[in-house]
Amino acid sequence: MALVLLTATGAHAEGRGDVRVVSATVNGGADVTIGTAKKVTFPIAITVKDNSGVKGLTRVSTFNRSNGYGFISWTGSTCQKKSSTTSVCKATMTVDPAWIAASDDIDSNKVAGGWTVNATVKANDGDYWISDSIAEYKVKRASSLTTDAAPEPVVKGGKLTITGKLSRANWETLKYQGFAGQDVKLQYRKAGAAHYSTIKTVKTGSSGQLSTKVTVTSAGSWRWYFPGTTTTARIVSAGDTVVLK
């Protein structure tokens, strides 16, 4: 597949007639998170209005708001008529992580963050409109997080060491690498309880490692929680259940 560099232009809207984009929503309002191997597909729902009715979308593009680079392709669309003048057109957007490094000439990881959407829409009477920045959203690097509690089982009042590692996708190497200097919350759920509570916050080391000691007063489960950043997805590790001797 040929990769085309998409660069941002100054905000503008131009065309012919009265067809307009009324609103647009990316991925149902959720961030778009991309890892190192799995292809990601997500929708952009664009509400379009014209007095003659809506014919459809003729162009949809998306790219980073700060540096203008983009690696996400428009791979199809459908329109659902809501009234004689208004339709909601859903653009399907697709990215394979293998495309990312070939789409720019900078560190590809800098393309994470705030993104914007442009679209050209067309009406049944031939009117068309080229619209920039119809929606904004976040594209984030996927993350991974592990938890291990030892020793197991442990005596009541004994010390437990909780370790783990926070990593995130590197789009240059298509591998996960440790994420240093991040605040990660240690959470605990007592056996039989419904929810976890935060016990303390620990900063990741130079390779994303986590380690802390706690005093055990009852059986329960331990996990790490990372709230994410503007460029990296939030993640909660699987819980590690510890029983008492």
Side-chain angles (χ1 to χ4, degrees):
M1 176 178 291
L3 293 173
V4 179
L5 174 64
L6 300 175
T7 56
T9 59
H12 73 283
E14 60 183 71
R16 181 184 67 201
D18 61 352
V19 63
R20 294 291 187 274
V21 171
V22 176
S23 64
T25 303
V26 180
N27 201 29
D31 297 334
V32 174
T33 299
I34 303 169
T36 60
K38 186 178 178 180
K39 185 180 292 186
V40 175
T41 299
F42 63 94
I44 301 177
I46 304 171
T47 301
V48 186
K49 186 174 183 179
D50 183 83
N51 60 3
S52 70
V54 176
K55 187 170 185 179
L57 308 174
T58 60
R59 180 184 65 94
V60 180
S61 61
T62 182
F63 42 80
N64 182 282
R65 289 191 290 114
S66 298
N67 52 44
Y69 287 101
F71 45 72
I72 298 172
S73 296
W74 174 37
T75 54
S77 61
T78 58
C79 291
Q80 183 177 4
K81 186 176 180 179
K82 296 297 183 179
S83 71
S84 61
T85 62
T86 305
S87 293
V88 176
C89 297
K90 185 176 74 173
T92 300
M93 312 303 291
T94 304
V95 58
D96 186 323
W99 302 346
I100 299 177
S103 69
D104 59 65
D105 55 10
I106 60 174
D107 177 354
S108 295
N109 298 304
K110 294 181 179 179
V111 185
W115 280 51
T116 190
V117 177
N118 291 354
T120 301
V121 297
K122 192 170 184 179
N124 289 328
D125 60 4
D127 291 353
Y128 71 94
W129 203 254
I130 303 168
S131 300
D132 287 356
S133 298
I134 60 173
E136 295 183 355
Y137 65 106
K138 292 286 197 307
V139 173
K140 294 188 176 184
R141 298 161 67 178
S143 53
S144 67
L145 186 57
T146 61
T147 297
D148 184 61
E152 299 179 61
V154 64
V155 297
K156 184 175 182 179
K159 292 290 186 180
L160 194 65
T161 300
I162 315 294
T163 58
K165 184 174 182 178
L166 174 66
S167 301
R168 62 176 174 170
N170 184 326
W171 292 337
E172 286 282 311
T173 63
L174 296 183
K175 295 180 181 179
Y176 280 80
Q177 67 178 36
F179 195 8
Q182 302 303 304
D183 289 335
V184 181
K185 300 179 187 298
L186 177 65
Q187 298 185 329
Y188 173 70
R189 184 181 66 192
K190 186 176 180 179
H195 304 289
Y196 280 87
S197 298
T198 296
I199 304 301
K200 62 172 74 174
T201 299
V202 178
K203 194 175 291 292
T204 57
S206 59
S207 60
Q209 71 272 22
L210 291 157
S211 183
T212 191
K213 292 184 182 293
V214 295
T215 299
V216 177
T217 58
S218 61
S221 298
W222 298 86
R223 72 181 187 185
W224 294 104
Y225 165 67
F226 174 59
T229 69
T230 57
T231 60
T232 304
R234 68 179 290 277
I235 192 167
V236 181
S237 73
D240 188 358
T241 301
V242 177
V243 299
L244 299 182
K245 288 184 179 179

